Structures are given as C-alpha cells and as structure tokens.
Amino acid sequence: MKKIIHLSLFLGLVVGISTIALAFVNDLTAPIIAEAQDVLFAQQRQAAFPEATRHISHATDAPYTLEIIEALSGDTTLGYIYVQEIMGFADVVRYMLVIDTNGYIRNFLTLFNMETPGFAYPPRLYYWAEHQFMDQYLDTHIDTLAAATVTTAPIIEAIRHAYDDFFARR
Amino acid sequence: MEANADVNLAPKQDLNEVFLVGIIRENPVLVMLLSLCPILGVSSNFVNSVGMGVITGVVILFTNIMISLSGRFIPNEIRIPVIITIIATAVTIMEMLTNAFLPDLHAALGIFLPLIVVNCIVFGRAEGFALKNKLLPSILDALGITIGLVLAFGLMGFVRELLGTGAIGLLVLDLRIFPAEFAVPLFVMPAGAFIVLGVIVGIISTIKISKASKEKKNA
C-alpha cells in the first residue's frame, strides 16, 4: 500500500511539473497563435470575394457551421462564406466554404488543418504534378463529390448542410 | 527522495565515441531504420525535412537532459509512464512554439509533429541511454543523434525535392538546378520516398559490407 502511494505521488509530481511547464508555454504562445489565426481569417475572407467592400456576419444553427458571412459590394450580395468545422482523422479541420449567389462553390479555403500533408501542400513543390491535377477541373462542373475517408465524409455532410441553409436563405 | 536502486549507471564511456556513434555508424534512420514514418511522410521538401529533424532532435535533447537528471529518482515500476509524460511534454511544448513562431513549418509537418511522441528514437535514447548515464554523456548522445537525424532527413529532402522539382527551396531562395520539365514528380510523391530511402539505405549497407569484408581480409 505504501509503495502504491509512493508511486502515485511520484507520478502526480511529474504530471504536475509537466502541467506547469505546458501552462507557461501556452501563456507565451497562445496570443501569438490567436493573432496569426485572426490575420489568416481576414486574408481568407477577403480572398473569398476580392471585390467585396463589406461583410455581414449572420447567426446560424446549421450543423458544423460556426459562422455565415455575407459578402457585399455596396448593397449587392456577392455570396456567402460558411465557416465550418468538422472532426477529421487527426484533429478538427476548419475551413471557409465560399458559395456565390448562383449556388456555385467558388472556393474552399482552409483555416486549420492537421491532416497528413497531401498532394496540395506546399503548392510550389508540385510545380508540374499539381498544375496538371488542378487544371483538369478548371471551368468544369463537378456533379458529385465522393466521401471515401474519415475526413472527407463529414466535410461532404457539412457542405450539404451549408447548401440547405443557402437555399433557405436565398 | 530516495534514489532508485534498480537503475545501474552505465560504465564510463569515451565521450567522443558517444557523440560520434549516432551521426554515421549508428545513424538512427539510415542504419538503425528508426523514424521511418516521419521521414517518408515529410521529406518531400528539403526545408521541412530538416525542420522535422531539428524538432525531433530538440525533443531528444530535452528528454535526455530531464531523464539523466531525474533517472536515479524514477521508480523502476513507473519509469515508462514517467518517460512518456516527459516526452509528451517536450513534444507539446515544441508544437506550441512551432505553431507560434514557425507557422508554415507547423502547417507543413501537420500530424507528424505531435506523432514525435511515439517516435522510437526518442523513447529509445531516453530509456536505453539517458536513464543509465550522467548528464554530459546524455547531452552528447542527444546531439550526435540529432546531427544524424538532420543529416538523414536533409539528405532525403534534398534528393527528393531536387529530382522531383528540379529546384531546392531554401526559405526565400529558390535554387533551380535544372528545368522543371525534366523533373520527375514521382520523387515528391509517397512512392518516391520509398525508392529514395531504399537506394540510400542500399548504398550505405553496401559500403558497410565492403568495409567489413576488407577488414576481415586484412585480419
């Protein structure tokens, strides 16, 4: 019994010291990370509709959707940006789904992603391969999106919910 | 706190040997074939590959220091959870620091960064070396292993990026060695990682075998 208490106390001490170290580093880095994410969010929001002059945030109860942003040029609505978050294979994946007023997906901008680095990152690397891969989808209509993996399945479901909201809004 | 009688310190070792052994002769990746998952996953780019090697090396250094300082006090029955806790702390700290100060590298390494926790080399050096040795040999061991890791990751990243894109990206500098039309994209894809690693390991094994047979003949 004495031995078990001794071992538990030792392990508790190690965990306690680790927690203090992690809390200290988190205090140091959290504001920097949050600031960088705010900057990325603003950049991606502007990249979604470069011609937008203002944005209006709408509350929503659509599943997976954190925020809906209406992009406007003057008083004309250009489209909607659905900020969504799903649970992927490794961690949460946060992104902006950009839908124009005709109902076409104009962009898919990643805000946070910890999935296995894939074909698309970093863009410079796939100088030849990526261009060939991406070019085949330019100016084409995609009828179906397949969801074959742990990460893509909830993304497809989240996109469907975004469209339900979009059509209700329109 | 009482010292742990179960941990016997290793006999005094040649410090030069401790430092040098991990660089080439017992290179953790190219000779011992550890850490294969991250090297296959992130070595498509030279800078990211070196970054992964350095981050893993810093984790090994931190862990070796902590374990060699506290090793005598760690009860043998709970040495594994204690070592894992220390490694997990080091990895989480490195992940937070990378996310804050090197966000591009953090995004590029993705899931491979937190997966350093389960990297065999980190646990192996902590449990197999630092637990039984004093501070200085543990630091030298970690530095030698780190250099070995960075060499292996750097070599893989260099060869794959060069053959796959025809250029080497050095942060802001993009050194084009040959035109992109002559590059073979296969080398920056997963299959290319296996081919390049296989060829490098094959070359090193051939050199080792021929060296050993020469020594045998001379003897």
Side-chain angles (χ1 to χ4, degrees), chain A residues 7-105:
Chain A
L7 296 179
S8 306
L9 285 175
F10 190 91
L11 205 51
L13 179 71
V14 172
V15 171
I17 294 170
S18 296
T19 307
I20 292 168
L22 289 173
F24 174 76
V25 179
N26 185 54
D27 271 358
L28 186 78
T29 55
I32 301 168
I33 295 167
E35 194 182 323
Q37 282 175 349
D38 287 347
V39 171
L40 176 68
F41 187 88
Q43 284 173 347
Q44 298 286 55
R45 191 181 65 175
Q46 198 56 45
F49 291 104
E51 64 275 39
T53 52
R54 63 193 179 102
H55 297 89
I56 299 171
S57 181
H58 295 283
T60 177
D61 53 1
Y64 305 105
T65 308
L66 304 176
E67 189 182 0
I68 298 172
I69 302 166
E70 186 177 357
L72 299 108
S73 176
D75 289 332
T76 313
T77 300
L78 300 171
Y80 294 91
I81 303 164
Y82 287 80
V83 183
Q84 295 189 311
E85 186 176 277
I86 58 101
M87 190 64 210
F89 176 72
D91 204 336
V92 296
V93 179
R94 201 175 306 129
Y95 56 87
M96 286 177 168
L97 177 72
V98 184
I99 303 177
D100 68 14
T101 46
N102 295 319
Y104 291 124
I105 294 176

Side-chain angles (χ1 to χ4, degrees), chain A residues 3 6-7 10-11 13-14 18 22 25-26 29 32-33 90 114-117 119 121-122 124-129, chain B residues 1 44 73 75 77-78 82 85 89 92-93 95-96 99-101 104 106 108 110-111 161 165 174 180 185 188-189:
Chain A
K3 182 85 174 168
H6 172 244
L7 296 179
F10 190 91
L11 205 51
L13 179 71
V14 172
S18 296
L22 289 173
V25 179
N26 185 54
T29 55
I32 301 168
I33 295 167
M114 283 292 279
E115 301 302 296
T116 308
F119 282 111
Y121 195 91
R124 190 188 58 77
L125 249 188
Y126 300 95
Y127 187 84
W128 183 83
Chain B
M1 200 171 286
S44 55
F73 304 108
E77 296 89 339
I78 54 165
V82 169
T85 306
T89 306
T92 311
I93 288 172
E95 198 198 343
M96 288 192 281
N99 195 0
F101 301 109
D104 288 344
H106 181 266
I111 190 64
E161 188 174 359
T165 66
D174 200 12
V188 288
M189 291 174 185

Side-chain angles (χ1 to χ4, degrees), chain A residues 11 14-15 17-19 21-22, chain B residues 52 55-68 70 74 78-96 112-131 142:
Chain A
L11 205 51
V14 172
V15 171
I17 294 170
S18 296
T19 307
L22 289 173
Chain B
M52 184 68 185
I55 291 171
T56 311
V58 173
V59 170
I60 294 173
L61 183 63
F62 177 88
T63 311
N64 269 17
I65 290 173
M66 297 309 292
I67 298 292
S68 68
S70 61
I74 300 174
I78 54 165
R79 71 182 195 287
I80 292 175
V82 169
I83 292 172
I84 293 287
T85 306
I86 293 172
I87 294 171
T89 306
V91 171
T92 311
I93 288 172
M94 283 309 293
E95 198 198 343
M96 288 192 281
F112 290 108
L113 203 47
L115 280 180
I116 295 173
V117 174
V118 289
N119 192 316
C120 314
I121 301 172
V122 185
F123 186 81
R125 299 326 292 176
E127 215 253 349
F129 191 91
L131 192 65

